[in-house]
Amino acid sequence: QVQLVESGGGVVQAGTSLRLSCTFSGRILSSAGVGWFRQAPNKVREFVGSVRWSSGTTLIASSVKGRLSVSRDSSKKTSYLQLDTLQLEDTGTYFCGIGPAPIDAPRQIKYWGQGTQVTVSS
């Protein structure tokens, strides 16, 4: 069984940067990827970025392109999400998940983390 834990959320000032971590336990397939999603109150969960675990190739949603990057450290079984120039609209719960790569939709996720709350303040 694969388990994921996100960390790094909190209250952050608009215009600053944020880095979230997603660490998993267990083994994953070489064809797997880690996807990052966010969900604002009363809104659907949306894809923001992903990384193919074997190659490190990333895919970034157009809505955050230029501000968001995703990376991974295989030795630590950890993926990172960095979001720059934070905006109030970035507020939400951020989730990571594992599924077959390339990931660009929630339905592809087989294992989910519990999420970490990010609140951007003005």
Side-chain angles (χ1 to χ4, degrees), residues 55-112:
S55 65
T57 303
T58 61
L59 185 63
I60 307 299
S62 57
S63 61
V64 290
K65 191 162 286 185
R67 297 196 298 125
L68 187 142
S69 61
V70 177
S71 60
R72 60 92 168 95
D73 184 332
S74 298
S75 67
K76 296 181 179 179
K77 292 188 174 181
T78 298
S79 174
Y80 303 97
L81 177 151
Q82 168 115 3
L83 187 55
D84 299 322
T85 319
L86 286 164
Q87 303 169 0
L88 298 181
E89 306 82 72
D90 293 322
T91 294
T93 303
Y94 284 69
F95 298 88
C96 64
I98 288 175
I103 294 171
D104 65 1
R107 66 180 181 273
Q108 297 173 270
I109 300 302
K110 186 173 182 181
Y111 304 101
W112 284 102

Side-chain angles (χ1 to χ4, degrees), residues 36-52:
W36 285 92
F37 304 81
R38 66 184 181 188
Q39 188 165 16
N42 301 315
K43 292 195 174 181
V44 298
R45 192 169 298 188
E46 67 165 336
F47 166 78
V48 292
S50 65
V51 58
R52 184 184 291 267

